Every structure is written in structure tokens, then in C-alpha cells.
Amino acid sequence: RYPHYHISIALRVNATLSTHKIISFKNLNPPTFFLLYFPAMAILKNQDEVEQNARSSYFNLPPLDVSVAFPQATPASTFPPSVSDYFQFSDLLTAEDQAIRMRVRQCMEKEIAPIMAEYWEKAKFPFHVIPKLGGLGIAGGTIKGYGCPGLSITTSAVAIAEVARVDASCSTFILVHSSLAMLTIALCGSEEQKQKYLPSLAKFSTVACWALTEPDYGSDASSLQTTATKVEGGWILEGQKRWIGNSTFADLLVIFARNTTTDQINGYIVKKDAPGLTVTKIENKIGLRIVQNGDIVMKRVFVPDEDRLLGVNSFQDTNKVLAVSRVMVAWQPIGISMGVYDMCHRYLKERKQFGAPLAAFQINQQKLVQMLGNVQAMVLVGWRICKLYEKGTMTPGHASLAKSWISLKARETAAIGRELLGGNGILSDFLVAKAMGDLEPIYTYEGTYDINSLVTGREITGLASFKPAMLSKRSRM
């Protein structure tokens, strides 16, 4: 009546010799089976306890502070001085740019550097620093009025690079909130929506997220399947979003959905804890671990008409926001690379081997110079793309090439830095390993390297190549 039951039980003999026996249970009723099975499990459990008791008394001691464990070099909790501006890029900045840059730098080095490795390791967000970030006066970036700073895109970009120089996760937190969610409301919202939402967002009194990507639609975001159905007094949203930064604790969620009547993409402002809305944290990331990315599920979520973003009527309206945010995202790897170079520069002068500082070895100097050259080129490309935007001549291809190329060179720079730091190159305490992990999602989001290359390729050739050749009309040749 019952199937055969086979169980392999490891029996420890004299605490040194292990043997395996196969016990076959045929026509055995379940109660008898469990009486036999669970004593065996108890034997194994007791053996685990014996092994644990046999371990050394210091097995579970907390780790040494890294400054004690490795006294020859300073960890990133005391952040290194900025030494990456070799071509004196600061001469191109206005007095306002310089003042904001220093304000952000001082805050990040004082408030974030001492805690970032701990929070990165735990994949937790340091909510207590949000007021400090709000006090920087950079949320809202280029938005004028409504309590926003009305900065130039160059000033905003330089500020976000200074945030990323110390911690990439904090820069992503700010960019999602500011250059995506707030900018969407500013560009596509009604006057009433701007007055209602932007002032508190500008002070970080409330936090926002921006939800476009779906589980089945990443690079192909314009094909999203979340739906918005018109009902009396509002809209019903149904669908799922994925990889949405800030979403687990955001007060406002800017959601993009397909209008079931027009089949076009529309935008909506959804309040946290709306009935039918659930957000769960995405675990096990290797990069931007402080950022709280979430899976959003919407089951008949009602959004009143007053929270429909009337300026979003197609995916092209979404692209207006992405054009600006892509420029800002390009400055994240610039800032990360600055921090990596600064860290390696200090480390090589402090760390000694073979009776000399690592900085004295030719191969290390060559690698350091290669990193420095990358940073100079990245900064100048980033600066130029900002000026093109301010002149009104920046194209989608310009922004895509800047983002893709800069993120590529940043990966190279971090990889060289990891080599220079040797064993400490794999510790988040010394920044470079953390930076390598953080660059991976940045290399992918806001358009992967490949997709951004295709955007630029389409612009310079006039031919789109996003869909596989097999799906396109075949040539008669």
C-alpha cells in the first residue's frame, strides 16, 4: 500500500569513523517509519552539537577592528583626501559649483564614510542619515520653484559625483528620488501635483521611488504590461514591477502602466500602503546593497484622478525624464572612480612590502597612472554632456554614449584598483571591492551597456537594430 522508503543514515562510530547503511522500508506504515527515522535525525543533531562543542573557545569571537587587524593602511571609514583632479577640472566650475561640491564632500566623508561598510554588509539602509542628505539642498536638482534648488545640470552632476565618490548606494537613493520621481512630477505633473508633492520631497521629508521596470520587461520597457483601467473617480492598477529602488519605504510611488483604453503608457502617483499594494525587498544582491530594491505587486490598486500624471501619455514622455537621469547616472561611475583612485593613491603610499612603499614600484605607478587617465577622460566627457544639455543640443545618442562608455571605463578602473590593493582589495573596508560590486548594477540600469550602444548606433546610422534579425523582414538578397 505504501511506497518503498529509503534513507541513508550516517552513523559516527567512536567519533572518528563514519559508515553509511541503506535501510529499506517496504509495506511500512508511516507511523512506524517516523519512529525509525526521527531517532536517526536525533543522532545527527547530537553529533552537530558535539562538533560545535569541540571547536575552539574563540570560534565565535567578533572580528578585530580593521585598523587593529591591519595597521599599515587606513580604511575607507576615514576617507582619503581628493587627489584625482589632475587636469584641474575644478577651474571649469563656477563658485556655486565649488561651494556645493565641498558641502557634499564634507557631509559624505563625515556622516557616511564611517558607517557605509557596515550597512553595505548588512544590506540595510541608514535611515538616520536622510535628514543630513536633505540638508545638502540637492534634491530636485534642476527643478525650479516648489522648494527645489533650481541648479544647473552641471552643478547637480558634480554634486552626485561627490556622493558616489564615498558611497554609490547613497547616490542611487538620491537619483531615484530626485532625477526620476521628482523630475517626472515636475515635467509631467499638474500645477496642483507640483505644489502638493515637490516641497516635501525636496527636503526629504517624504521619499519617492520610480517604477518602470517589470519582471518580463527590462531593456524592452516600452512593452510593459501593468495595466490602468478607468473607473469612476480614478483608475485601477494591476501588475508587477521589479528592481524598484527605495520602494520598500517610499511614501510616494511613481508608477507607469498601460492604459487599457488607449494602449498607451500613462503615469500615476501611488501612496504607500494603498489597498492592494505590496512591496517586498529583493535579497542577495552583490552591488548597491544599501539601496532597498523591491518587487511591487498591485492587485486592484485604486488611484484617484487627481494622482494621474496628465503629462505622461506615451513612452516618449517617459524618455524626457530618462534623458536627464541618464546624464546624472553617467556621473555616478565618475564619482566612484574618483573615490577608488583616491583610496589606491593613499594605500600605495602607506602599505610597505620588500622594504619600500607599494607606490615605489614601477608596475604600481603604471596602474595608478592608467586609473588617473581614465578619471580625467570620464570627467571631461561628463562635463561636455552637461554643457550639451544646457545648450539644448544634447541628443539621446549623446547621453547613451556618455553613460555606456563612462560606466565601462569605471569598471576597468575599479578592476585595476582591486589588483593594487592585493588581499585588501576584496574587503569592503578598503572601498574598492565595494565599488566593484556597486558598479555592476550601474553598468546595467538606465540602459545596459549594450542597449545604450544601440541607441547611439541607431542615431549615427539611421538604422534601428534592437530586435533580432530573425524577427525582422528578411532581405531578398
Side-chain angles (χ1 to χ4, degrees), residues 227-249:
T227 59
T229 303
K230 188 71 181 77
V231 295
E232 183 177 355
W235 302 78
I236 297 293
L237 301 189
E238 291 266 3
Q240 189 173 345
K241 300 292 182 178
R242 184 162 172 80
W243 291 116
I244 311 306
N246 304 352
S247 59
T248 61
F249 61 91

Side-chain angles (χ1 to χ4, degrees), residues 409-424:
K409 300 310 288 185
R411 275 174 123 202
E412 177 186 286
T413 302
I416 297 171
R418 204 228 66 75
E419 295 173 11
L420 287 173
L421 265 61
N424 284 323

Side-chain angles (χ1 to χ4, degrees), residues 177-243:
H177 172 90
S178 179
S179 296
L180 288 173
M182 288 183 69
L183 191 62
T184 300
I185 295 172
L187 293 179
C188 305
S190 66
E191 183 61 29
E192 291 74 18
Q193 289 168 336
K194 296 174 191 177
Q195 296 281 1
K196 181 178 180 181
Y197 295 119
L198 290 179
S200 63
L201 291 170
K203 295 184 293 186
F204 276 116
S205 299
T206 53
V207 172
C209 71
W210 196 84
L212 176 65
T213 300
E214 297 183 359
D216 293 334
Y217 299 95
S219 296
D220 190 15
S222 62
S223 298
L224 64 85
Q225 294 300 304
T226 296
T227 59
T229 303
K230 188 71 181 77
V231 295
E232 183 177 355
W235 302 78
I236 297 293
L237 301 189
E238 291 266 3
Q240 189 173 345
K241 300 292 182 178
R242 184 162 172 80
W243 291 116

Side-chain angles (χ1 to χ4, degrees), residues 248-461:
T248 61
F249 61 91
D251 301 287
L252 305 176
L253 301 87
V254 176
I255 304 282
F256 295 90
R258 188 172 300 281
N259 187 317
T260 55
T261 301
T262 66
D263 201 39
Q264 292 294 326
I265 306 301
N266 291 167
Y268 303 87
I269 299 173
V270 179
K271 311 290 178 44
K272 70 176 180 181
D273 298 325
L277 173 72
T278 56
V279 185
T280 52
K281 178 182 173 182
I282 296 174
E283 299 280 4
N284 306 323
K285 298 186 301 175
I286 67 159
L288 297 178
R289 289 174 55 80
I290 294 175
V291 176
Q292 305 298 291
N293 292 93
D295 283 305
I296 298 174
V297 176
M298 291 166 285
K299 296 181 178 179
R300 295 194 58 78
V301 174
F302 176 77
V303 180
D305 283 327
E306 65 190 42
D307 285 330
R308 155 85 202 280
L309 291 162
L310 296 177
V312 182
N313 294 298
S314 72
F315 193 73
Q316 294 304 313
D317 296 315
T318 306
N319 276 333
K320 297 174 186 176
V321 179
L322 289 172
V324 180
S325 65
R326 196 157 288 160
V327 173
M328 297 298 294
V329 165
W331 278 83
Q332 283 187 282
I334 293 174
I336 293 170
S337 298
M338 290 175 176
V340 168
Y341 176 82
D342 293 341
M343 187 70 209
C344 291
H345 182 271
R346 181 177 71 183
Y347 185 94
L348 294 186
K349 295 176 76 173
E350 291 181 337
R351 171 71 161 154
K352 294 179 180 179
Q353 291 290 279
F354 305 103
L358 291 180
F361 294 89
Q362 290 180 349
I363 194 169
N364 291 341
Q365 290 190 9
Q366 186 274 329
K367 290 179 179 180
L368 202 61
V369 169
Q370 185 177 351
M371 295 169 66
L372 182 61
N374 283 351
V375 173
Q376 306 318 295
M378 293 158 64
V379 166
L380 291 172
V381 170
W383 179 81
R384 182 58 182 160
I385 202 71
C386 288
K387 295 309 172 186
L388 290 174
Y389 179 85
E390 290 170 1
K391 286 176 26 177
T393 57
M394 187 194 79
T395 66
H398 287 149
S400 289
L401 178 57
K403 191 271 177 177
S404 60
W405 181 84
I406 288 171
S407 60
L408 180 69
K409 300 310 288 185
R411 275 174 123 202
E412 177 186 286
T413 302
I416 297 171
R418 204 228 66 75
E419 295 173 11
L420 287 173
L421 265 61
N424 284 323
I426 69 167
L427 293 178
S428 60
D429 302 88
F430 290 92
L431 187 72
V432 178
K434 176 176 169 294
M436 288 185 73
D438 289 342
L439 278 166
E440 289 307 294
I442 294 173
Y443 184 74
T444 298
Y445 67 40
E446 288 283 344
T448 65
Y449 176 84
D450 297 326
I451 290 296
N452 275 312
S453 297
L454 295 181
V455 170
T456 306
R458 177 181 60 186
E459 190 168 284
I460 64 176
T461 65

Side-chain angles (χ1 to χ4, degrees), residues 14-253:
N14 293 329
T16 58
L17 179 64
S18 293
T19 62
H20 289 77
K21 293 184 179 180
I22 303 298
I23 301 175
S24 180
F25 301 90
K26 185 175 182 181
N27 296 328
L28 198 64
N29 61 41
T32 305
F33 168 74
F34 283 110
L35 284 173
L36 290 169
Y37 176 70
F38 279 104
M41 294 300 293
I43 293 171
L44 296 177
K45 183 175 184 296
N46 290 337
Q47 186 57 51
D48 288 340
E49 292 175 354
V50 169
E51 290 178 357
Q52 184 170 350
N53 292 335
R55 291 171 184 154
S56 62
S57 60
Y58 43 78
F59 182 78
N60 288 315
L61 288 178
L64 288 176
D65 182 273
V66 71
S67 298
V68 176
F70 190 80
Q72 203 176 68
T74 309
S77 55
T78 301
F79 214 76
S82 176
V83 291
S84 65
D85 191 10
Y86 189 67
F87 282 171
Q88 300 169 31
F89 164 72
S90 57
D91 290 349
L92 300 173
L93 303 179
T94 66
E96 181 187 24
D97 295 339
Q98 296 274 24
I100 292 176
R101 184 185 207 183
M102 293 309 299
R103 184 165 75 235
V104 174
R105 180 179 297 175
Q106 290 167 4
C107 175
M108 292 300 297
E109 291 182 358
K110 177 183 177 183
E111 304 292 341
I112 305 300
I115 64 171
M116 60 182 178
E118 174 190 356
Y119 279 88
W120 195 88
E121 180 69 23
K122 295 188 300 184
K124 302 290 187 183
F125 189 87
F127 293 102
H128 66 279
V129 305
I130 291 180
K132 301 285 186 180
L133 299 176
L136 294 176
I138 60 175
T142 58
I143 303 170
K144 295 180 180 179
Y146 313 102
C148 299
L151 305 173
S152 71
I153 196 167
T154 302
T155 308
S156 295
V158 169
I160 212 68
E162 285 296 328
V163 176
R165 172 178 168 264
V166 175
D167 180 63
S169 292
C170 282
S171 68
T172 295
F173 163 71
I174 294 172
L175 282 179
V176 169
H177 172 90
S178 179
S179 296
L180 288 173
M182 288 183 69
L183 191 62
T184 300
I185 295 172
L187 293 179
C188 305
S190 66
E191 183 61 29
E192 291 74 18
Q193 289 168 336
K194 296 174 191 177
Q195 296 281 1
K196 181 178 180 181
Y197 295 119
L198 290 179
S200 63
L201 291 170
K203 295 184 293 186
F204 276 116
S205 299
T206 53
V207 172
C209 71
W210 196 84
L212 176 65
T213 300
E214 297 183 359
D216 293 334
Y217 299 95
S219 296
D220 190 15
S222 62
S223 298
L224 64 85
Q225 294 300 304
T226 296
T227 59
T229 303
K230 188 71 181 77
V231 295
E232 183 177 355
W235 302 78
I236 297 293
L237 301 189
E238 291 266 3
Q240 189 173 345
K241 300 292 182 178
R242 184 162 172 80
W243 291 116
I244 311 306
N246 304 352
S247 59
T248 61
F249 61 91
D251 301 287
L252 305 176
L253 301 87

